[in-house]
Every structure is written in C-alpha cells, then in structure tokens.
Amino acid sequence: MSPRRASVNEELRRRSRERLLQATVDLVGERGYEATTLGDITDRAGSARGLVSYYFAGKRQLFQSAVHRLMHLTLEAALEREPRTDDGNERLARAIDAVLGLALDRPVLMRAHMAGILQAEGFVRCPEQQRLEFLLRGTLERYGSPDVDAEYPLLRALLMGAVFAVVVPGAQLPLERLRAELFLRYGLDWELGRD
C-alpha cells in the first residue's frame, strides 16, 4: 500500500478541523459553553479526543475559532448573496445585518463568545478570525474608507458592542435601534442590507 499524497493528508486534516469547529458551534449553541466538554465535541465531530490539542491550545481557543468561523461563513454568505454587488454601502449594510443577525439567531453562542473575550485570555487571533478580518477590511475598502487600518478596529468594536447589547440578559437594546445607530454612523440608507 502506497502512502497518501501530502495534498490528501492536508485535505483530511482540514476536514477534521472543520468538523471540530462545527461540533463546537452546535454543542455550545445547544448547551452553553460550561456544559459542553471537549469529549462531547470530539464525540460529535467523530474525532479522536487528542485531536483537539493538535489544532488548538484548549477549549477556549477552539470555541473562539469556531465562532469566528461561523461569523466568517455568515458574513461571506451575506456579501456574496444574490443579487451580487460591488456597491460599498450595500456591502457594509449586509455586513452589519449579518453580525446583528447572529446575535439575534444565536444568543447563547454569542453570549458565550462575548464572555470568553472578556476572560484573561482575551481575544484569540486564529486563521478563522483572520479570514473574518479580511472580509471586513475588504468591505471597508469598497465602502470607501480613507483609512482602513484605523476604521477596521472601530467597526469591529462597534459590532462587538452591538452584539453585546443584543445578548446581555436584562440589558438588551432593541436590534432596530442598534442597526439605526450603526447605519447612521456610516451614512447608510435604511433599506440597504437585509434579504
């Protein structure tokens, strides 16, 4: 039997990692972060238990990477949906709506994500987060931001603050109010974005 080619091994590793990320999103969304164990995640993913430590430094990094992947995929789908457009205002409106939509549709998951960022380990930079950053920076470029390096951290902070305001029990702000504030900040017409 001949050994597998490197490209086949790489594809198998990619799929295995993605199964772990998806299982994490699913389980934490169902049970919450604390009630989800690494064993639960590897069982759901159909992976060996030691595989998590091969890809991630621990449960917190796995979880943040999983949420960043979900955010990246959600944002990518919103930006590329039909009718496709290169209009910067439309793309920024879609980005805002995509992130706010995650807070509304997945409050348990996004609440756990916000709580994790506030932990001692803080914000985890990972390949999934970098893909998300790339999409948001590209959106700001198409929007016409004169200084993407300065505007990106501000947009990220505004979106994180809006998510926080949607998911915090007992202190939620209405989604429409948050959307209106973000749209006003960027001079976006109300009818842009949504499906």
Side-chain angles (χ1 to χ4, degrees):
M1 185 162 119
S2 61
R4 289 188 294 230
R5 292 190 320 229
S7 62
V8 172
N9 286 333
E10 183 61 33
E11 178 62 16
L12 291 172
R13 282 191 292 274
R14 185 191 66 74
R15 287 182 190 173
S16 177
R17 189 174 193 277
E18 294 217 349
R19 281 194 312 273
L20 287 168
L21 293 168
Q22 187 60 50
T24 302
V25 165
D26 293 344
L27 286 168
V28 173
E30 293 166 15
R31 303 176 184 174
Y33 180 80
E34 296 300 328
T36 302
T37 68
L38 288 175
D40 296 333
I41 292 167
T42 56
D43 288 348
R44 173 78 61 99
S47 300
R49 292 187 184 228
L51 201 53
V52 170
S53 61
Y54 178 77
Y55 296 115
F56 306 99
K59 182 180 171 185
R60 180 66 60 193
Q61 186 185 45
L62 168 61
F63 176 61
Q64 280 198 37
S65 295
V67 174
H68 286 138
R69 175 181 174 266
L70 174 65
M71 293 174 76
H72 167 257
L73 293 174
T74 301
L75 181 57
E76 185 175 57
L79 294 174
E80 299 306 320
R81 77 168 189 263
E82 296 295 332
R84 294 191 71 195
T85 183
D86 286 329
D87 178 70
N89 285 7
E90 173 66 26
R91 291 179 71 82
L92 184 56
R94 287 181 184 189
I96 291 168
D97 285 343
V99 174
L100 291 177
L102 276 174
L104 192 63
D105 297 341
R106 307 256 194 152
V108 171
L109 187 74
M110 298 308 287
R111 188 177 306 121
H113 181 59
M114 291 289 115
I117 289 172
L118 296 174
Q119 299 293 317
E121 297 87 19
F123 188 75
V124 173
R125 290 194 50 86
C126 59
E128 291 74 22
Q129 184 276 327
Q130 290 168 346
R131 286 186 200 91
L132 177 61
E133 179 178 341
F134 179 79
L135 282 178
L136 285 172
R137 283 178 170 275
T139 299
L140 286 169
E141 286 172 9
R142 287 191 183 169
Y143 168 73
S145 174
D147 187 355
V148 173
D149 289 338
E151 190 63 37
Y152 167 71
L154 180 58
L155 175 61
R156 183 183 65 211
L158 291 169
L159 291 172
M160 288 170 68
V163 167
F164 188 81
V166 171
V167 301
V168 172
Q172 295 102 332
L173 284 173
L175 186 74
E176 295 301 314
R177 171 77 190 273
L178 294 164
R179 184 179 192 264
E181 291 294 326
L182 287 165
F183 273 46
L184 180 64
R185 161 77 172 84
Y186 288 101
L188 302 173
D189 293 332
W190 188 252
E191 64 276 355
L192 294 175
R194 295 185 172 145
D195 292 339

